[in-house]
Amino acid sequence: MPEQPELTIQGWGPPADRVATVAPREDGADDGVLELAPDPDTALPKAARKHLSRQLGWTPRWTPPVPVGDIRLAPSRLPARARAVLAGLLGEDAVADDRLSRLTHAGGKSYLDLLRRRAGDASDAPDAVLTPGSTEQVAALLRACSELGVVVVPFGGGTSVVGGLAGTDADDRPVVSVDLRRMDAVRALDVPSSLVTVGPGMRGPALEQALAPEGLTLGHLPQSWEFATLGGYAATRSAGQSSTGVGRFDDLVAGLTLATPSGVLELGSPPASAAGPDLLGLALGSEGTLGVITELRLRVRPRPRSTHYEGWSAPTWAAGLATLQRLARHDLLPDVVRLSDPDETDANLRQATGAGARVLRGSLRARRRGDGCLLVVGWEGLPTIVRARRAAASSVLRDGGAVRLGTRVGESWVRHRFAAPYLRDRLLDAGLLVETLETAATWTTLPAVYDAVRRALKGALSTSGRRPLVLAHVSHGYATGASLYVTVLADRDDDLPIQQWLTAKRAATDALLAAGGTLTHHHAVGVDHRPWLAQEVGPLGVDVLRAVKQRLDPQGICNPGVLLPD
Ligand SMILES: Cc1cc2nc3c(=O)[nH]c(=O)nc-3n(C[C@H](O)[C@H](O)[C@H](O)COP(=O)(O)OP(=O)(O)OC[C@H]3O[C@@H](n4cnc5c(N)ncnc54)[C@H](O)[C@@H]3O)c2cc1C
């Protein structure tokens, strides 16, 4: 297991040598044949850089962030009396208002968060950072903050990409970040019931390490796996890279403890219950607006004895989608499914590096016919079941006109599944706009959603001389539909970079909702999506959420800037 990387103030932590793989090859070998992710040392291969310059109308340039020492930070607004009360409850060591603590808890990892910090703006930094060590301490601090008029923003790994940690408050009250890193242990393991009880500040790698001796795994692997916390996954309803197998985190939560200003709720009754509506669902996706998740009971499973990942080429995007839909209908979707559209397929081919990459690139190209699309699939489980599911799915894939590319493509994806975020800072340094967005739609509406989002982004980001690159893939499959993950690259407007993205994001969100997509499949609502929440759940739905918040958090201190519209 790699050493836990450090989260930096700007972006994603130290590069290259810290890139982790979940399942390194047992012989330690790297066949070096096809690397779907770019080499983190060079950020982008020369050819890809040239291609991007031409494609985007982008001139690579050096636009570094301001030095950390120059980031502007207003003095803490936490009153001395409030500080003393909190230190009395938690201990002096658990209340920090020094510059570094506040800066490292300023916002999350969205493009807008990074732009602000790179420009030296830390106006979203909390006034202090609290590090409680138990549910009792969290409950006590929530009661105290309610009385003191102090806003509380729970902080897990700080990887929110929707402004979930913005800490904004209409009443301009002091803000404390409640960092759950001290609550990071396995508290109980019930092997017969396949349940593990953990603290919310625990991260995926540490949990997998703790489960390994028992032959168990959680298996939830979002791309932010190295940094994000289990509490954060629950608070945002994250989705891992195993698209269908153990895709959604909310499916893995059997129960949790939610500390609120009005008291502590124990939610969820494994294995199943019909005792009224499931209140667990209120906490999942609550993004810190109802209180703090202080414990989770999670479903675990045996570690897969066999894994098999491979690449295919679908003749077209439409044919690829139709094949995935057939697989879904017959319950044959592989555990990992990632269908890239023609532009993302092309980008993957251009980024391919490593010894022998040219040979494989050539063969992939030869097998692409016209608008051929790269499809990475993977199966995990007992060997006999993996073999049987793979054989059945392969026959549906072939019937759909797909051509098998082999295991090297699949293994390369596994090796580099966590690598892309490490590039982001360098692409930003070079003057690029780099951001992602995601949605999901039924199989019937997905093609229209795909067209609408691409059109909107291209329309909003194309100006004289500038043309964005919009790359998309299907990342999660369901019987009823699939999610769509979109990456946008464009020449950054150095004068108005925030406005440039806000315009594009607004256009894309309006378009995907109008076409029938969901506001978010797994990134959550945060600040960025909240103006549209009523379109997703209806005005009455928003009122219901407000009523629950009013009961649990009458003073409105729990992360008031996110989820619920003004
Ligand atoms: C490079 C990158 C890749 C990503 N890949 C994925 C991906 O593959 N799949 C995916 O779903 N998401 C992904 N994300 C988004 C992000 O990692 C997830 O939303 C993750 O679940 C957030 O976890 P966190 O611990 O970092 O939470 P934070 O970012 O710290 O917090 C997120 C929100 O949850 C609240 N919160 C956090 N902990 C608690 C708690 N214990 N109780 C109550 N509220 C809490 C916070 O107040 C905030 O509103 C990615 C982000 C980045 C930057």
Side-chain angles (χ1 to χ4, degrees), residues 353-367:
T353 62
R358 213 171 309 141
V359 178
L360 235 153
R361 216 168 22 222
S363 97
L364 183 52
R365 276 210 180 106
R367 290 179 206 198

Side-chain angles (χ1 to χ4, degrees), residues 372-430:
C373 291
L374 179 65
L375 173 62
V376 174
V377 288
W379 295 266
E380 297 162 351
L382 289 171
T384 46
I385 306 226
V386 165
R387 266 197 305 277
R389 290 177 60 215
R390 196 180 138 225
S394 299
S395 132
V396 175
L397 286 164
R398 267 187 221 98
D399 285 353
V403 178
R404 187 169 177 273
L405 301 172
T407 53
R408 282 169 170 169
V409 176
E411 283 166 11
S412 171
W413 174 80
V414 171
R415 267 202 304 282
H416 295 290
R417 63 202 298 185
F418 302 112
Y422 291 86
L423 282 176
R424 212 158 55 137
D425 289 343
R426 282 181 233 187
L427 299 180
L428 294 178
D429 287 345

Side-chain angles (χ1 to χ4, degrees), residues 154 156-160 164 180 222-224 229 232 235-236 238-239 287-288 293 421 522 559:
T159 66
S160 168
L180 296 149
Q223 203 174 38
S224 50
T229 60
T236 58
S238 73
E287 300 184 42
I293 296 164
H522 60 265
N559 215 0

Side-chain angles (χ1 to χ4, degrees), residues 258 282 320 332 467 490 518 551:
L258 180 71
L282 279 176
L332 284 175
R467 294 165 308 279
T518 176
R551 174 67 186 86

